[in-house]
Amino acid sequence: MPATRVREVRGLCVGLGAGGVVVCAVLASAIVVVGGALPITYPAFRVILWTTGCGSVSGLLLSCLSLISSRSFVRGEHLDLAGARRVRRASAVCWVNSTLSAILSWAALTTVVSKGMLPGGFTGGAWAYLVLVIAPAGLAGVLFFAGRALFPR
């Protein structure tokens, strides 16, 4: 691997990962604020929504951290293939975790709405919450494919 490519890969790993960590903080805060503003009649369901929503963010956060740590697998003109494979697997697991948490959160909110525990049904706040919950899963997918491009087989 040429020296310019090494610097490029190391820089992209840190840039994508650090940017993702900032996005995680913003998304987690927004999920808590928007989820807290939903007029749910039973507070226990709000905790379930917060937990599953922030679980979606945790998958993205772990994907970002694995991408940041992956820069150590590129030294000189050498790429540690075993380390690159671990990063690829870790980002795939994080993407699946984020997606499953988003699906659970969607199912929880749909249950709340179908049981009549959210006055007004699917309001703008409920739709905003759903978008905020699925965003980390989409971003984890982007990081998965970026990691695959940075660390080819």
Side-chain angles (χ1 to χ4, degrees):
M1 186 179 282
T4 56
R5 175 76 175 138
V6 168
R7 283 191 299 272
E8 178 183 317
V9 167
R10 289 173 68 95
L12 281 172
C13 287
V14 171
L16 286 172
V21 169
V22 171
V23 169
C24 286
V26 170
L27 283 173
S29 300
I31 285 172
V32 169
V33 168
V34 172
L38 293 175
I40 298 174
T41 55
Y42 295 107
F45 282 105
R46 184 174 327 230
V47 173
I48 291 170
L49 290 176
W50 281 337
T51 304
T52 56
C54 289
S56 177
V57 176
S58 72
L60 176 61
L61 179 64
L62 291 174
S63 184
C64 293
L65 294 177
S66 72
L67 195 60
I68 290 172
S69 69
S70 69
R71 69 185 291 265
S72 65
F73 299 129
V74 181
R75 289 185 209 107
E77 293 183 8
H78 175 71
L79 171 65
D80 179 11
L81 292 177
R85 280 190 211 104
R86 282 194 304 266
V87 169
R88 290 166 57 120
R89 272 186 251 125
S91 63
V93 168
C94 291
W95 184 21
V96 169
N97 172 39
S98 187
T99 303
L100 290 177
S101 294
I103 290 170
L104 285 173
S105 191
W106 277 54
L109 186 61
T110 304
T111 302
V112 166
V113 171
S114 69
K115 299 291 183 186
M117 290 183 250
L118 183 65
F122 277 108
T123 60
W127 285 109
Y129 177 81
L130 292 177
V131 168
L132 285 171
V133 166
I134 200 67
L139 291 173
V142 168
L143 285 180
F144 169 74
F145 286 109
R148 288 181 61 90
L150 288 173
F151 299 110
R153 288 186 173 200

